[in-house]
Amino acid sequence: MAQLLDRAVKLGWVLLKSVLRFLFMFFNNCVAIPSYCLYLLLLQPLRIWDSSTFWHIEGIMFKWLLAMVSSWGWAAGYTVTEWGDDVRPISEEEAMVIVNHQSTGDVCTLMMCLQDKGTVVRKMMWLMDHVFKYTNFGLVSLIHGDFFIRQGKAHRDKQLVYLKEHLDKYYNSRDRKWIVLFPEGGFLRKRRETSQLFAKKHSLPHLSHVTLPRLGATHVILKTLSAQLENGNVVNKTGNKHKGLKWVIDVTIAYPHARPMDIQTWIFGYKAPTVTHVHYRMYPIKEVPVETEALTDWLYQRFVEKEALLAHFYDTGSFPTLDRQKEAVSRQMTLDPVWLCMVQSFAVASGYM
């Protein structure tokens, strides 16, 4: 009887905490997102007069909004430990970031772990599924200049044309540095069986922890944003200020016991405190081929490596060492609670005004 009562008390506390967290986040969205939109509406004359300053201010507020989302998980004890290369030194250089995709929590995890990477968050562009356009954060991403892509064969060719036009129009004009995409084109649980059948049919590696990536968006980004070589010389086709992509950053997200965290967990906080592990590996852009066949092989190889990384993590609880490391070193990613409180206070004051 005592055990039953104890369980009932714990369940009641979890339910109460979930309701309180949901109410706080609902309030948070109601004050922060309209304030972001109204500030930018008031700053439209500045956009006409000095667009670079306008997008600089927008980027700062965009980072604050993502910090609020990060704080939801951080307050519930959901933290991030980082492995592999330290990407902070290249935070001001242009890079394409490729990430494995297991659940909706992947985006929240990236929002958190990129907060301490200099100006990355405010100068980044996301490629995400078009359904995110209709979420509470969709309007913010639309204003920021992220690209919403529709999946499926019926839309594929047209979407790649739209992506090329979007990059030409917004990437350089808004001073973007990092562009983030999920080459698998969907969640692991939804694509695994199809990917394995495709791999079997074409004598490709059998993957369980990731799926075979799709080439389209990656190819368009590399061709559009990379500096081109002509007669051995670099020819910058991305504008005078921007020198083109310098890096490809391969990000692998691993959840304990291979149980991905979804956005519902992030919001309601009903799971015990959890550490998500994020592994980085950097490749100079000169090592990345642009030709279709060579790029396909290169991208497949990255996801074969991801498979090995994740298998090692699920077996041992840690990632293996990189070739240039003597031992695997992890770094606990932390958020400044004082700064988070200041951001939240600014949002509440803005909402009140």
Side-chain angles (χ1 to χ4, degrees):
M1 185 66 181
Q3 288 183 345
L4 186 62
L5 182 62
D6 185 54
R7 289 180 182 177
V9 170
K10 288 182 178 179
L11 178 60
W13 167 241
V14 169
L15 291 174
L16 177 61
K17 184 174 68 172
S18 297
V19 170
L20 291 175
R21 282 177 60 87
F22 176 78
L23 291 174
F24 171 73
M25 290 169 203
F26 180 79
F27 171 77
N28 211 182
N29 278 285
C30 287
V31 297
I33 294 177
S35 297
Y36 165 88
C37 296
L38 289 172
Y39 275 129
L40 294 182
L41 186 62
L42 292 172
L43 289 172
Q44 286 304 303
L46 177 63
R47 182 180 180 180
I48 298 172
W49 180 54
D50 186 353
S51 63
S52 62
T53 301
F54 173 86
W55 290 113
H56 177 83
I57 296 171
E58 183 277 334
I60 292 173
M61 291 193 291
F62 183 79
K63 180 177 181 177
W64 291 351
L65 287 175
L66 268 59
M68 292 179 196
V69 177
S70 303
S71 71
W72 301 346
W74 179 81
Y78 305 145
T79 57
V80 172
T81 292
E82 299 177 315
W83 301 76
D85 290 327
D86 185 359
V87 298
R88 287 172 294 184
I90 64 165
S91 63
E92 295 300 321
E93 298 183 39
E94 294 181 43
M96 179 179 69
V97 183
I98 55 175
V99 192
N100 62 312
H101 208 9
Q102 300 184 60
S103 72
T104 50
D106 297 341
V107 175
C108 300
T109 297
L110 289 173
M111 287 181 179
M112 176 183 285
C113 66
L114 295 179
Q115 283 291 326
D116 67 344
K117 307 297 186 294
T119 62
V120 163
V121 174
R122 63 184 178 87
K123 290 187 175 184
M124 72 193 308
M125 178 182 286
W126 296 77
L127 264 67
M128 58 187 78
D129 193 279
H130 79 286
V131 297
F132 282 98
K133 186 188 296 186
Y134 308 105
T135 65
N136 58 322
F137 214 75
L139 180 59
V140 173
S141 292
L142 200 62
I143 294 172
H144 183 68
D146 297 329
F147 183 77
F148 300 94
I149 191 165
R150 294 181 67 92
Q151 304 293 344
K153 292 182 179 179
H155 308 285
R156 190 171 299 162
D157 293 340
K158 190 175 292 185
Q159 289 297 301
L160 295 179
V161 173
Y162 291 157
L163 173 60
K164 171 73 166 60
E165 293 173 351
H166 186 88
L167 294 173
D168 288 337
K169 186 174 182 181
Y170 296 117
Y171 187 83
N172 289 334
S173 65
R174 298 188 182 183
D175 194 25
R176 299 295 174 242
K177 296 293 184 183
W178 287 19
I179 182 164
V180 181
L181 72 155
F182 301 93
E184 290 164 290
F187 297 141
L188 174 63
R189 68 179 186 277
K190 293 182 177 181
R191 290 208 61 240
R192 179 158 39 199
E193 185 178 352
T194 304
S195 174
Q196 289 174 348
L197 289 172
F198 180 87
K200 184 177 181 180
K201 182 179 179 180
H202 294 86
S203 301
L204 295 169
H206 180 88
L207 306 176
S208 298
H209 304 304
V210 294
T211 64
L212 289 171
R214 292 169 175 170
L215 181 68
T218 305
H219 194 206
V220 169
I221 291 168
L222 286 172
K223 288 189 69 176
T224 306
L225 301 181
S226 296
Q228 305 296 317
L229 284 176
E230 291 183 5
N231 299 322
N233 299 314
V234 173
V235 179
N236 183 8
K237 297 184 178 181
T238 61
N240 295 326
K241 181 180 178 181
H242 291 258
K243 298 180 180 179
L245 294 174
K246 293 296 183 67
W247 301 92
V248 172
I249 304 174
D250 186 5
V251 177
T252 304
I253 299 176
Y255 297 94
H257 311 296
R259 296 175 183 169
M261 186 181 300
D262 54 27
I263 188 66
Q264 294 93 323
T265 305
W266 202 269
I267 291 173
F268 293 107
Y270 50 79
K271 285 187 178 180
T274 303
V275 179
T276 302
H277 297 258
V278 179
H279 184 277
Y280 303 97
R281 185 156 190 177
M282 305 186 308
Y283 295 91
I285 199 68
K286 64 183 180 181
E287 296 180 6
V288 183
V290 179
E291 296 78 13
T292 302
E293 186 175 346
L295 178 59
T296 301
D297 292 340
W298 186 90
L299 197 58
Y300 280 178
Q301 186 58 38
R302 301 290 74 76
F303 276 78
V304 170
E305 290 175 2
K306 284 180 182 289
E307 176 79 9
L309 285 172
L310 290 168
H312 187 280
F313 177 83
Y314 295 141
D315 286 340
T316 66
S318 64
F319 283 111
T321 59
L322 295 175
D323 297 338
R324 50 190 171 275
Q325 292 179 325
K326 293 182 179 180
E327 60 178 351
V329 179
S330 62
R331 304 174 294 277
Q332 185 70 34
M333 189 271 160
T334 59
L335 294 173
D336 184 354
V338 176
W339 178 68
L340 289 176
C341 288
M342 291 175 63
V343 170
Q344 292 285 7
S345 299
F346 179 78
V348 172
S350 299
Y352 177 78
M353 287 191 294

